[in-house]
Amino acid sequence: MERTIIDPKFSVAGQPSPHEIADLGREGVALLINNRPDGEEPGQPGSAAERAAAETAGVGYLDLPVTGPTITRAAVEDFRAAVAAAPGPVVAHCRSGTRSLTLWALGEVLAGRLRRDDISEFGARHGFDLSGAVRWLDANGQ
């Protein structure tokens, strides 16, 4: 699993294996957020296996599956609230980390902590294309 640290509390990652989820528990990660729909790709562990691995590792787990076109304001708000409420580090994952970082960036814009005009540069600085976040903001009147 490739992981990108965004700030001291939040990082994004590609798909973790159950073994890598156990490692997250040993590192003190408080919450794992899964942004992948089950069955998105062959060989993907799926939410039930991830939840079981997280519980065994002592890591909180939130299954919040989205695709680029299905991101809703409610999903953004749920994601933001989960990160804010977590008592320690949060790792959010999807296939590559882009959807997870998109949810985070949208939440930060809606909360007034990130400027809309800074999204693309912010994403590029961390190695991600967040043009989908900009399109979402345009489509949702933000």
Side-chain angles (χ1 to χ4, degrees):
M1 156 188 70
E2 187 172 324
R3 192 162 137 198
T4 302
I5 296 172
I6 304 304
D7 67 29
K9 186 174 182 181
F10 182 70
S11 60
V12 296
Q15 176 67 58
S17 69
H19 177 76
E20 290 167 323
I21 294 171
D23 291 341
L24 294 176
R26 287 188 283 278
E27 291 175 27
V29 169
L31 176 64
L32 175 66
I33 302 175
N34 175 8
N35 296 127
R36 291 191 86 180
D38 279 350
E40 183 177 54
E41 189 173 71
Q44 172 186 344
S47 59
E50 286 188 29
R51 181 179 300 281
E55 288 174 359
T56 298
V59 175
Y61 182 79
L62 173 62
D63 186 34
L64 186 62
V66 297
T67 62
T70 65
I71 292 176
T72 63
R73 186 177 186 105
V76 172
E77 295 294 343
D78 289 348
F79 186 91
R80 184 170 54 137
V83 172
V90 175
V91 175
H93 87 82
C94 53
R95 187 179 54 79
S96 68
T98 301
R99 268 176 284 179
S100 297
L101 188 56
T102 295
L103 285 164
W104 183 88
L106 290 172
E108 292 298 292
V109 169
L110 295 177
R113 292 187 293 265
L114 179 66
R115 289 176 9 135
R116 179 195 189 286
D117 293 343
D118 294 335
I119 289 176
S120 294
E121 187 276 327
F122 177 84
R125 186 169 11 126
H126 291 287
F128 293 91
D129 175 3
L130 294 183
S131 59
V134 174
R135 286 191 302 276
W136 187 93
L137 290 166
D138 290 342
N140 288 277
Q142 302 293 321

